[in-house]
Amino acid sequence: MSIAETYKQYVRNALPQDENDALLVGRVWRPDVSGPAVVMLHEGHAYDISSVAATVSTLCEKEDLVSFLTAIKPSLATDDAFADLGPVKDLLENTILSSRDVQKPWVLSPIDLQSIKAAGVTFATSMLERVIEEKAGGDPAQASNIRAEIEKQIGGELAALEPGSDEAAKLKSLLIDQDLWSQYLEVGIGPDAETFTKAQILSSVGSGEEAGVHPMSSWNNPEPEIVLAVTSAGKIIGATLGNDVNLRDVEGRSALLLGKAKDNNASCALGPFIRIFDEQFTLDTVRTADVTLRIEGEDGYVLDGVSSMAQISRDPADIVGQLMGAHHQYPDGVVLFLGTMFAPTQDRGETGRGFTHHVGDVVSVSSPALGQLTNQMNLSTECQPWSFGVRALMENLAKRDLL
C-alpha cells in the first residue's frame, strides 16, 4: 500500500471503537458559509449545531453539557435547525489537502477559542530524554552516550518517585552533589508542574491536515498525548488526542527556546473530535488509557510506540489545578496536553543520531476510546498558512447571525 493510500485509510478510521455510544463534538469547515460549524456526531454523520452554540468554547460552558447533548441528539436527523453535513468519514477524507474538494465540507481541529496549553516532563522516560537533550546541547550525535550514563546513575529511581515528596527532595540533593541536576528534573520530580503555551488560539490543525516541523530543525519527533478539555470554571468535561510536535535540537540548545521549539505553523495537531465525559467515558478512563503511535515514512520506515497514562507522574486533575484557579483564569476555557512517555530513540539513518522526521511521514496517534488522529508531516513553511484568526471568526459568525 502506498503512503497516500495508508494516509487515507488511517484518516477514515478516526472514530472511537464505541462511536455509537460516545458523545462526540468538534468543528467542520462549511464552504457554503465560508466558516466553521460546531458539529455533533450521530449515526456516522456530522450535524451542524451552531444554532445552539456558535463556538465549541460556548458549547463546553453549558451547565449540564451531557444532558444538553443527550436532549438534542434524537432530533439531529429530523430538525431543520441542524444541517446534516454528511458522513463523518467523507468529511475526514476530504480534509486531506492533496485530494480536497474545496466545494465540500472538511474536518477542522475540534477547538476554537480555548487556550492551548501543555504539561511537560510528566513521565519518567520522557523526563530523562529532556535531560539528555539539555546535556547534549541539542546535538543528537552525543545523545546515545549521555543516555547510557544518565540511566545508569538515576534511571531506575525516577519512575517510582512522587513529585514534591520528601524522597524526591532527597534525590535532588544527591543529584546536585553529583552534578547531574537539571531544570527538567526540577519540574519532573519537584512540587511544581511545567505548563506552557503550546499554540495560539485557532492555530491548531485537525486530523487529516498536514502537521508542521520548522525547517531549522534536524532532530525532532511527534509527542502522542491525551488532551483534556476544561471549562472556564476548571471543570474537566472531555478529552481528545494531540500531537505536540517537538524540536529536540532547538529546545536542547536552551530551554529559553521552548517557544520556538513548540509553537510554529501547523505544529499543534488535535482531534479528531472531543469526547465528552459521561457514564461510559470518564477521567478515570483517561487515567488508565494507552496512547499508541505509528509513524510510516515514504522511505519505508515504520516506528510503533505506546504511552501508558497509568505511568504519568502527576494526576491529570492536579495538573489542571496547577494550571488554573485563583492565580490564573481562562474565560474561554482551555485544552491541556498531558504529556507523553514516548520519545523515540531508535536510529533512522546514521547510527547514534536517533529518530527525526522526514517530510511525508504519516503520524497516527490513537486510543480506543478517543479514535485516531492522523497527520502527514511537512515543513511548517510549506503547510497551509494560518490565516483564520479570532477577528475572522467573529466577523464570520456575525454575518451568519450567530452572535
Side-chain angles (χ1 to χ4, degrees):
M1 185 182 297
S2 69
I3 283 291
E5 291 169 334
T6 297
Y7 189 26
K8 287 186 177 181
Q9 179 183 355
Y10 286 165
V11 169
R12 289 191 201 103
N13 295 331
L15 298 182
Q17 289 183 356
D18 59 341
E19 60 178 277
N20 292 329
D21 297 322
L23 290 175
L24 297 167
V25 299
R27 293 193 309 144
V28 166
W29 183 266
R30 289 188 57 171
D32 59 327
V33 297
S34 300
V38 179
V39 298
M40 181 177 180
L41 274 56
H42 178 54
E43 295 183 346
H45 283 235
Y47 291 88
D48 184 347
I49 61 170
S50 303
S51 59
V52 295
T55 66
V56 174
S57 171
T58 302
L59 179 66
C60 290
E61 294 291 321
K62 297 289 184 182
E63 185 172 350
D64 188 345
L65 181 55
V66 172
S67 295
F68 177 80
L69 294 174
T70 302
I72 67 172
K73 195 169 187 177
S75 61
L76 290 176
T78 58
D79 192 330
D80 290 340
F82 306 127
D84 182 354
L85 302 184
V88 177
K89 293 188 176 183
D90 289 352
L91 299 175
L92 284 161
E93 186 169 338
N94 196 45
T95 303
I96 299 173
L97 186 60
S98 60
S99 57
R100 181 180 298 170
D101 182 345
V102 296
Q103 302 301 316
K104 296 180 179 179
W106 62 85
V107 173
L108 299 170
S109 166
I111 66 168
D112 39 47
L113 297 180
Q114 296 95 329
S115 295
I116 306 172
K117 308 294 283 190
V121 202
T122 52
F123 290 82
T125 301
S126 58
M127 174 168 49
L128 287 177
E129 287 302 313
R130 298 292 87 76
V131 176
I132 290 161
E133 289 167 12
E134 181 184 40
K135 299 296 183 183
D139 181 2
Q142 298 183 43
S144 182
N145 291 336
I146 295 172
R147 182 178 296 110
E149 179 61 25
I150 289 179
E151 288 181 346
K152 176 182 175 182
Q153 295 289 333
I154 62 175
E157 298 182 63
L158 291 175
L161 280 181
E162 178 183 347
S165 66
D166 291 341
E167 291 78 8
K170 291 176 183 177
L171 179 60
K172 175 178 179 178
S173 296
L174 176 63
L175 294 175
I176 290 174
D177 290 341
Q178 295 179 354
D179 196 29
L180 284 173
W181 189 246
S182 162
Q183 59 199 333
Y184 293 104
L185 292 170
E186 178 65 49
V187 294
I189 65 176
D192 300 313
E194 178 196 17
T195 56
F196 58 89
T197 297
K198 167 57 187 175
Q200 306 309 304
I201 293 170
L202 285 172
S203 70
S204 58
V205 297
S207 189
E209 296 189 86
E210 289 185 331
V213 173
H214 196 295
M216 74 183 298
S217 175
S218 59
W219 188 23
N220 46 70
N221 64 273
E223 292 192 350
E225 306 186 26
I226 289 180
V227 184
L228 297 180
V230 188
T231 70
S232 61
K235 182 180 180 181
I236 307 170
I237 53 91
T240 188
L241 294 168
N243 181 358
D244 173 12
V245 179
N246 182 47
L247 310 184
R248 302 190 68 181
D249 47 359
V250 175
E251 185 179 354
R253 283 163 45 205
S254 170
L256 297 180
L257 293 173
L258 181 65
K260 185 177 285 291
K262 293 290 188 178
D263 185 7
N264 298 294
N265 185 41
S267 66
C268 177
L270 286 166
F273 300 97
I274 298 172
R275 182 165 184 176
I276 305 302
F277 288 154
D278 56 14
E279 292 183 357
Q280 289 77 35
F281 178 70
T282 68
L283 187 57
D284 282 338
T285 312
V286 170
R287 289 184 173 112
T288 59
D290 284 341
V291 181
T292 61
L293 172 75
R294 186 172 179 85
I295 304 170
E296 295 192 39
E298 294 180 328
D299 56 354
Y301 178 88
V302 176
L303 184 148
D304 292 294
V306 179
S307 183
S308 174
M309 288 296 299
Q311 296 187 43
I312 196 169
S313 59
R314 301 180 190 272
D315 187 75
D318 173 62
I319 304 173
V320 172
Q322 293 203 38
L323 174 70
M324 63 188 301
H327 63 288
H328 201 314
Q329 296 78 45
Y330 294 88
D332 297 306
V334 62
V335 294
L336 175 65
F337 282 76
L338 290 175
T340 183
M341 65 179 288
F342 184 76
T345 58
Q346 72 181 60
D347 292 329
R348 183 182 193 178
E350 185 179 339
T351 301
R353 295 191 66 86
F355 171 86
T356 197
H357 271 306
H358 290 187
V359 169
D361 284 351
V362 174
V363 179
S364 288
V365 178
S366 61
S367 193
L370 289 169
Q372 186 165 269
L373 167 68
T374 303
N375 304 94
Q376 191 162 33
M377 305 306 299
N378 203 346
L379 299 178
S380 290
T381 48
E382 301 301 320
C383 293
Q384 280 197 308
W386 172 37
S387 59
F388 194 89
V390 176
R391 184 175 67 250
L393 175 63
M394 294 300 105
E395 290 175 351
N396 180 265
L397 293 177
K399 288 180 181 177
R400 293 156 60 188
D401 293 324
L402 292 176
L403 292 181

